[in-house]
Amino acid sequence: MSVSDTAVAVAAARPLGAPLVRDAAPADYPAIRHVIIAAYRQYADLIAPDIFSPYLADLLDVDTHARHGHLIVVESAGRIRGFGAFYPDASVQGLGWPPGWASGRALAVHPDARGHGVARALLAASERLARESGASVFAFHTASFMTDAIALYERLGYRRAPEFDFDMAARYSRFGAAPIMSIAYLRQLAPERAACA
């Protein structure tokens, strides 16, 4: 299962300047970390540093994401502008997702690339991988303060799943702090149709 399996065909068919989705390689890790930091930096003042720091460290743990998932990058003009980790087994994240579901993690789009289809490309690639892995649902969390991301997910038709929400402050052992909600979204996936022979 690979995003790059179809990258050549997709690259030939995509419009000039459209983002290119591909598998990440270890050589991409510094650029991935740069994108994550740039994407999440704007939230640093919205939550307490003792919560933001472990949250960001969790997102930046590309090695763990690679061990349990599949790393995807989006390139635009030859530079990595987006990143997402696809988990074929959502339950390994320890966030309450049931076995049989797939999930996304650490979705990040560089601020300079927002509004150019990078997040849509990451989500579409993740959903395709989820279908290929046989998952019935593709799910992910976002933070309640990420209002632009929430608006995008709702425009794209993702459904809220509040039963899977959790308090980030409690997750990062900051008990007694005001709750900071990580809110869940999901999409039920139709089984992938067999290719016509």
Side-chain angles (χ1 to χ4, degrees), residues 7-50:
V8 174
V10 171
R14 72 187 170 96
L16 187 62
L20 171 68
V21 181
R22 67 171 176 81
D23 296 328
D28 297 321
Y29 289 9
I32 289 169
R33 289 184 178 106
H34 171 76
V35 167
I36 292 170
I37 290 168
Y40 286 84
R41 181 181 305 137
Q42 70 188 32
Y43 307 115
D45 294 333
L46 298 181
I47 58 178
D50 63 342

Side-chain angles (χ1 to χ4, degrees), residues 93-181:
Q93 291 187 46
L95 300 174
W97 301 125
W101 287 17
S103 64
R105 181 87 178 172
L107 178 71
V109 175
H110 194 284
D112 296 344
R114 290 182 183 150
H116 297 284
V118 174
R120 287 175 191 253
L122 284 167
L123 291 166
S126 295
E127 284 189 28
R128 183 177 64 76
L129 290 170
R131 285 186 186 92
E132 288 175 0
S133 72
S136 60
V137 172
F138 175 68
F140 54 88
H141 286 96
T142 193
S144 58
F145 50 81
M146 296 181 183
T147 55
D148 290 341
I150 290 167
L152 172 66
Y153 302 144
E154 292 183 354
R155 275 195 314 273
L156 294 176
Y158 287 96
R159 183 176 64 80
R160 279 281 289 118
E163 64 274 25
F164 296 105
D165 292 356
F166 65 88
D167 176 11
M168 291 171 56
R171 176 169 173 79
Y172 297 113
S173 302
R174 303 317 187 257
F175 301 104
I180 301 168
M181 296 312 294

